[in-house]
Amino acid sequence: MHDKTLAELARSLDAGEFSSHELTQHLLGRIDRLDGELNSFITVTFDQALATADAADKTRAAGKAGPLTGLPLALKDIFCTRDVRTTAGSRMLDNFVSPYDATVVEKLATAGTVSLGKTNMDEFAMGSSNENSHYGPVKNPWDLAAVPGGSSGGSAAAVAAGLVPAAIGTDTGGSIRQPAAFCGITGLKPTYGRVSRYGMIAYASSLDQAGPMARTAEDCALLLSAMAGHDLRDSTCVARGVPDYTEELDTPLAGLKIGLPREYFGDGLDPQVETAVRDAIKVFESLGASVREVSLPHTHYAIPAYYVIAPAEASSNLSRFDGVRFGHRCDAPVDLIDLYKRSRAEGFGDEVKRRILIGTHTLSEGFFDAYYKKAQQVRRLIRQDFLDAFEEVDVLMGPASPTPAFDLGANKDPVSMYLQDIYTIAVNLAGIPGMSVPAGFAGRRPVGLQILGSHFTEARLLNVAHQFQQATDWHRQRPAFAEENA
Ligand code: GLN
């Protein structure tokens, strides 16, 4: 059961091969046995999951099941949930229980999904390896010496290990696509504004976006159809109809124009990753697509611009954690300033503090024009690069990450960690959608192909990824960890 995709599970539930209760019980059993080693969950909601599964079984028996009824998934621990704590991977929120559900949580619940719990993540989604979590690092099921990627590393590892068929992540600079690549699963970051951010703990509000992580593009299409849509509670959420994202999956790719950004194949790209990506592109050619080189000339400025804008927004967003209103409060403060200082010093980890310091500096009087304003101007140029490229081609393809998953502890220097996001970050600055799709291996560690489209072309991206998955079986490979522990 733990091997199947959401679409396959839905068919099995329909055919009465097993109930949602049995499926949920089986997966909870796996989490119980295997997650001690992986650490992909922060909170597992055993009783609630079974109760939800029972309700879903009743809905099905009454003939009222939708495409996701009774299907298990997990939520990154950045989505607020009523009744279940939401930590954002931080000591600051270790005991935080939200009074409401995030819109995404509410929509997935309405669709009948069964949440098994909340997955591990880098603290406040800051990181590329899931080593910045207060709850400890997550291991990559393909190789327990490797990181799963971050910041949605728990979501990616849980799916790869067969603990859950799908999970929800968030992507501010690559946090869905890079862990999907590292763990050999499929992940989609939607267009900025496609999915509501209400109830998603904010890191960098102009970049954050929630999206699905699953085994296949088809499953991502099922989930996005349920997650997307206008929400009056998020003023940046776009009022635009939500298509059924599964409808275009079978469109043939003949005539598809693919662009390969020259800047995504340069220095620093691991040769095994490059080979896997170039082989994947040949598959698209055999499906009738044409390929040409394009240029995104400002790519080089994406990381510096992001590491001004994201920390600036983070420093503002994280000022609410002051020991008064939310989360951790220090013991016996002598006065208000002592309360603020010690609560924040104790509650936040090192990387979060580093970003608050950078962001506070770049927003301060005298530096704002030199840093923040300049970075916003660069952002505009980066966006224009993509718009120009999409005048020529339908989609862009390249690696999701310059290397396969690296060893735990290998990137201790923050700058070398920041460089991990070289191919993903510009996408968030431009607000366009992007996917990572399994496309081979470098040794034992998976490689992800990144596919990018212009704003609101999710249906096309999912179609392109689905056609690739009809022609290849990288997405069907399972790590020995999941097989041995069947
Ligand atoms: N690695 C990037 C960062 O640390 C992106 C993280 C994310 O997308 N949440 O900010």
Side-chain angles (χ1 to χ4, degrees):
M1 286 184 224
H2 56 266
D3 230 21
K4 296 190 180 207
T5 67
L6 291 176
E8 289 164 354
L9 289 168
R11 283 194 286 275
S12 296
L13 291 174
D14 271 344
E17 286 165 32
F18 43 79
S19 65
S20 179
H21 182 100
E22 287 162 332
L23 172 61
T24 302
Q25 188 114 49
H26 172 71
L27 295 175
L28 290 170
R30 282 178 67 79
I31 295 171
D32 196 34
R33 272 187 294 124
L34 304 176
D35 205 44
E37 177 91 52
L38 287 182
N39 201 26
S40 66
F41 279 82
I42 292 175
T43 305
V44 184
T45 46
F46 291 95
D47 296 339
Q48 272 154 288
L50 287 170
T52 315
D54 288 340
D57 284 331
K58 288 210 183 84
T59 304
R60 187 171 300 278
K64 292 189 185 140
L68 292 172
T69 302
L71 296 180
L73 49 71
L75 303 164
K76 184 177 183 176
D77 204 15
I78 199 167
F79 292 97
C80 286
T81 43
R82 212 174 24 189
D83 308 331
V84 180
R85 73 173 174 159
T86 301
T87 69
S90 183
R91 178 173 182 211
M92 183 60 89
L93 292 178
D94 187 51
N95 60 5
F96 173 65
V97 180
S98 160
Y100 59 86
D101 281 333
T103 298
V104 163
V105 173
E106 207 176 82
K107 280 177 173 282
L108 289 168
T110 306
T113 64
V114 177
S115 171
L116 304 189
K118 313 285 294 282
T119 53
N120 205 340
M121 57 179 284
D122 283 304
E123 186 176 3
F124 288 104
M126 298 175 187
S128 305
S129 69
N130 219 126
E131 293 169 296
N132 294 337
S133 169
H134 172 64
Y135 302 91
V138 178
K139 290 183 185 162
N140 188 321
W142 289 94
D143 184 342
L144 298 177
V147 301
S151 64
S152 311
S155 291
V159 174
L163 304 185
V164 69
I168 309 304
T170 64
D171 191 314
T172 303
S175 282
I176 288 176
R177 290 160 288 153
Q178 186 253 23
F182 280 14
C183 290
I185 66 165
T186 306
L188 166 67
K189 181 205 93 76
T191 306
Y192 183 78
R194 178 71 290 195
V195 175
S196 170
R197 291 182 297 107
Y198 178 76
M200 203 171 100
I201 293 174
Y203 162 17
S205 309
S206 75
L207 301 160
D208 298 341
Q209 191 63 199
M213 305 173 78
R215 300 208 162 97
T216 61
E218 181 182 22
D219 285 1
C220 287
L222 285 166
L223 289 167
L224 185 64
S225 301
M227 293 166 68
H230 189 216
D231 182 5
L232 290 171
R233 295 171 297 187
D234 169 7
S235 62
T236 63
C237 193
V238 176
R240 188 175 171 125
V242 180
D244 175 348
Y245 287 102
T246 60
E247 264 173 14
E248 276 184 49
L249 290 176
D250 293 324
T251 308
L253 297 190
L256 179 76
K257 285 186 255 166
I258 300 175
L260 306 185
R262 186 179 310 144
E263 294 78 7
Y264 286 27
F265 291 88
D267 285 348
L269 177 58
D270 177 282
Q272 285 181 287
V273 173
E274 174 161 9
T275 303
V277 168
R278 292 209 186 268
D279 287 347
I281 287 158
K282 287 186 200 133
V283 173
F284 286 101
E285 286 180 303
S286 75
L287 296 174
S290 64
V291 178
R292 76 173 82 156
E293 193 179 82
V294 297
S295 177
L296 302 169
H298 298 92
T299 298
H300 188 61
Y301 300 110
I303 291 195
Y306 174 91
Y307 278 100
V308 171
I309 294 168
E313 294 183 13
S315 74
S316 166
N317 276 324
L318 271 54
S319 64
R320 75 192 59 170
F321 303 107
D322 56 6
V324 177
R325 290 168 295 177
F326 300 98
H328 179 73
R329 177 177 299 174
C330 67
D331 276 340
V334 296
D335 59 19
L336 186 64
I337 298 298
D338 183 46
L339 167 81
Y340 287 159
K341 273 194 183 162
R342 279 200 294 125
S343 299
R344 287 169 68 83
E346 292 165 7
F348 290 137
D350 288 347
E351 183 60 28
V352 173
K353 287 178 187 160
R354 181 176 299 122
R355 306 233 182 156
I356 291 173
L357 286 172
I358 296 171
T360 307
H361 177 71
T362 58
L363 289 179
S364 57
E365 199 181 338
F367 293 104
F368 179 85
D369 284 349
Y371 293 115
Y372 189 72
K373 202 167 150 204
K374 188 54 89 184
Q376 291 288 22
Q377 290 165 338
V378 171
R379 177 178 192 169
R380 181 77 208 183
L381 296 173
I382 288 169
R383 177 185 155 98
Q384 195 60 46
D385 281 356
F386 283 109
L387 298 184
D388 292 344
F390 290 126
E391 294 283 316
E392 310 274 312
V393 296
D394 302 316
V395 293
L396 296 171
M397 290 189 189
S401 166
T403 65
F406 46 88
D407 287 348
L408 285 148
N411 273 316
K412 289 253 187 289
D413 164 39
V415 175
S416 70
M417 189 69 93
Y418 299 170
L419 289 172
Q420 284 298 317
D421 300 317
I422 182 122
Y423 304 134
T424 48
I425 265 179
V427 171
N428 301 72
L429 291 169
I432 60 172
M435 292 188 73
S436 178
V437 178
F441 288 86
R444 269 198 289 165
R445 302 183 185 184
V447 172
L449 169 75
Q450 186 172 216
I451 310 174
L452 308 174
S454 62
H455 298 94
F456 297 103
T457 57
E458 285 83 359
R460 186 61 162 156
L461 294 186
L462 289 160
N463 161 231
V464 168
H466 179 69
Q467 291 302 309
F468 180 72
Q469 293 182 333
Q470 299 303 105
T472 58
D473 69 355
W474 302 118
H475 61 289
R476 280 186 225 287
Q477 309 295 319
R478 301 286 179 259
F481 181 86
E483 306 276 350
E484 280 159 18
N485 294 294

